[in-house]
Amino acid sequence: MPLLGAGLIADGWGVAIVGSYLAALLIIGWLGRRAIRARSMSEFFLAGRGLGPLVLLLTLFATQYSGNTLVGMSGKTYRVGYAFTVAVPMFIALLGAAMVLAPGLQRLGRRRGYITLADAVHDRLQSRVLTSLVALVGVWALVNFMVSNLVAVGYLVERTTDGAVGREAAIIGLALVMLIYETLGGLRAVAWTDVLQGALIGLGILVLSVAVLATYGGPGHVHDALAAASPQMLEAPDWRGKIGWASTLVLVGIGAAIYPQAVQRYYAARDGRALRGSLRWMLVMPFFVTGFAVLIGLTGRGAFPDLDDRQSEQVTMLVLADLTEQWPWLRPLVILFFTAILAAIMSTVDSVLLALAATVTQDFYRPLRGGAASQAHLTRVGKVSSWVLMAGAVILALTVSQSVWRLIEIKLEVLIQAAPAVFVALYGRRARPGPLAGGLIVGVLIAAAPVASRTVASFTAPGWALPDKWCGLHLGVLGLLVNLAVVCALWRWPLKRSRSAAA
Amino acid sequence: MKASRAAWVAVLLPLITVPWLFPAGSDGAWWGVPGWVVYALGATAALALLVAAWVGRWWDQLADEADTAGDPGRVKDEAR
C-alpha cells in the first residue's frame, strides 16, 4: 500500500496555506504581547481573567478537540464500527460534569485568585500533601497529552510533505513556533490562536462533511457497504460492550472536565455568564466534530475494507487523498483540512504547555519560595519553565522507547482520581484531606496497575499483563469507585475514635 | 439543587444514552442507520438539551454553594 496522504502539502498550495497559518500564529502572539497590561501570573496564565464568550467558546473547542479526535477517532471507528458512536455522548457527558464543577471553580477562582486546579484544593483543604498529589496527577495527564501530540504532528508533517520535512525537524520547528507565541502573549496569545485554529477546524469539518457525503453517499450507502463487508459492525453491543460504553461516559465525562488546561479556561472567563454561554454552545459541537470523525471512519470502512489495524489509523488521510483524486479541485480544501488537523494538534499542545508551566510555577516553585517571590518573578519563571518543559517534551517525543511510553499512556484513568478531592474542595463543608489523599493514592494504583504490569512484563515475562478492563469496566473507573469507598470509609473514622476517647 | 445531587445527576444521566434495551446483535436499520444508533444519538440530543436547561437553572446556585461552603483558606495571587 502506498504511503497514505503522501505529498499532500508538498506543492505550492500546501506550502502557501501552511506557511500563512504559521505566520499568522506568530503575528497573533505579538498582538497578544501588546495587549498585556501587567506582569502578573493571572495576566500571563489567565489572560487577565478577561476572556469573553466567543473567544472562550473557540479556545475551549480548539483545546478539547485534539488531532486525536480528527484522526485517531476515525481509526477507532474503522476498527469497531458503529459501537464507537459513544464518542458523541461522551463529549456531552464531559460538559455535564463540567457544569457541576465549572460554576464553583469560576466563582472561587476569580474571588480567591486561583491559577491552577490544585490551587482550589490547597485553598480549601489546606493540605500540601493532597495539593501535591493533585498537581502530580495533573502533570502526568498533561505530559502524556503533550508528548503524544508532538509525536503525532511529527509523523503527520513528514508524511504529508513526502519526507521533505523530516519528523525531527517538524517537531522541533513547530515546538519553536508554539513557544514563541506563547512566551510573547501567554494565555491571551494561545486563546487568540485558538480562535484561528477553532475556525479552521470548524470550516474544514463543515466543507469536508459535505464532500464526503456527496462522494461516498449518505448513511444508506454506508449501511449497505458495511452489511456486505463487515456486518458485525452494524450490531448492537453485547452486555460487556454496554458496560464499556457506560464506563467510557464516566471516564471521559469526569476526567476531561478537570483537565488542567480546561480548568485554566474556567478561571480565565470574564465572568460566570460568559463561561456558562460558552459551555452551552459547546453542547452542539460533539454532533459535528466527533460525528464527522465517526462518519469518516465508517465511510473508510465501506470504501477501503482491507486496512490492517496500523493502516486504519490513517483512514482520515486515505479518505482525503481519495477525495482529491476524484475531485482535483478539492485539493486546496483538503490542504485546509490538513491545516485544521495541524491546528487541532498545536492548539492542544500549546494549551497543555501553558497549563504545565502554570502547575510547575504555582504548585511546585512558588511554595518553595514562600511569600518572597514577586508576580513579575513568577511570570518570568513561568516563561522559562515553558521552554524547559517543551525541550523535555521534544526530547521525549524523539527518543522515548515503547516500554517507557507505556507508563504514561494512560491519562484520564489517573486524572479522574483527583475528582473527589476537587469536588470536596469546592462544595464540601468539612475539610478532611487525609481520606481524600488516601482514596486518590489507592485509585491511582488501581488505574495504573495494567500499564505497570505490561511494563514489567515487557522486561521479564512477555505475554502476561493485567487487562485494561474488568467486565467491560475501565480500571480507572474501578479505581474511582474504590477511591470513593476509601474516602467514605476513612471520612468518619478519626471522629468516631476521638469521640470514644473523650467518653 | 445541592452540588452533591447535581454530581450524581451528571454521572448517571448520560447513562440513558447506552442502548441497554437493544439486544446484542440487533441491527435493524432506521433511515439507513442501525436502530440502536438512532436511539443512542436521540438520547444524546435529549441529554444535551437537559444539560443546557440545567445550566440555565442551577449555575448560580452551584456557584453560591461553592462560595459559602468550607472555611476560607489563604488568599493567593493578586490578593497577596
Side-chain angles (χ1 to χ4, degrees), chain B residues 33-63:
Chain B
V33 179
W36 62 272
V37 176
V38 174
Y39 165 78
L41 290 176
T44 304
L47 174 68
L49 287 173
L50 282 171
V51 172
W54 167 19
V55 176
R57 190 168 173 143
W58 304 116
W59 183 281
D60 288 334
Q61 204 171 323
L62 287 170

Side-chain angles (χ1 to χ4, degrees), chain A residues 487-500:
Chain A
V487 173
C488 291
L490 295 179
W491 194 261
R492 296 186 65 80
W493 178 65
L495 285 181
K496 281 181 183 168
R497 202 175 57 166
S498 61
R499 274 185 202 142
S500 58

Side-chain angles (χ1 to χ4, degrees), chain A residues 111-112 119 123-124 242, chain B residues 22 67 69 73-74 76 78:
Chain A
R111 294 214 170 147
R112 306 189 60 76
D119 272 350
D123 184 37
R124 303 290 282 236
K242 285 169 185 158
Chain B
F22 290 80
D67 242 355
R74 69 186 175 117
K76 303 176 117 183
E78 302 99 323

Side-chain angles (χ1 to χ4, degrees), chain A residues 113-263:
Chain A
Y114 301 158
I115 302 286
T116 65
L117 175 67
D119 272 350
V121 174
H122 185 63
D123 184 37
R124 303 290 282 236
L125 301 178
Q126 297 285 305
S127 161
R128 181 44 59 195
V129 173
L130 183 60
T131 305
S132 301
L133 284 172
V134 170
L136 281 173
V137 160
V139 167
W140 182 317
L142 291 171
V143 167
N144 171 304
F145 227 155
M146 194 151 114
V147 177
S148 59
N149 274 282
L150 282 175
V151 170
V153 85
Y155 282 118
L156 187 69
V157 172
E158 183 179 45
R159 192 166 60 236
T160 48
T161 58
D162 225 356
V165 180
R167 188 172 70 94
E168 293 84 359
I171 290 175
I172 294 168
L174 291 175
L176 271 175
V177 171
M178 285 184 274
L179 273 171
I180 291 170
Y181 69 70
E182 184 164 313
T183 309
L184 284 171
L187 181 66
R188 192 174 276 106
V190 168
W192 288 355
T193 56
D194 282 348
V195 171
L196 174 66
Q197 291 158 338
L200 268 176
I201 299 167
L203 182 68
I205 285 174
L206 197 68
V207 171
L208 283 168
S209 296
V210 175
V212 166
L213 288 172
T215 307
Y216 299 100
H221 282 84
V222 170
H223 186 276
D224 293 344
L226 286 179
S230 319
Q232 75 281 3
M233 292 198 168
L234 299 169
E235 295 173 356
D238 58 12
W239 67 270
R240 195 181 286 264
K242 285 169 185 158
I243 290 176
W245 183 304
S247 174
T248 302
L249 294 176
V250 174
L251 183 71
V252 177
I254 299 175
I258 54 167
Y259 264 146
Q261 68 270 32
V263 172

Side-chain angles (χ1 to χ4, degrees), chain A residues 252-284:
Chain A
V252 177
I254 299 175
I258 54 167
Y259 264 146
Q261 68 270 32
V263 172
Q264 219 172 2
R265 279 149 181 78
Y266 305 160
Y267 293 157
R270 192 171 61 205
D271 50 33
R273 197 181 165 87
L275 181 59
R276 185 169 61 182
S278 309
L279 288 174
R280 258 186 177 164
W281 275 103
M282 284 288 287
L283 287 164
V284 179

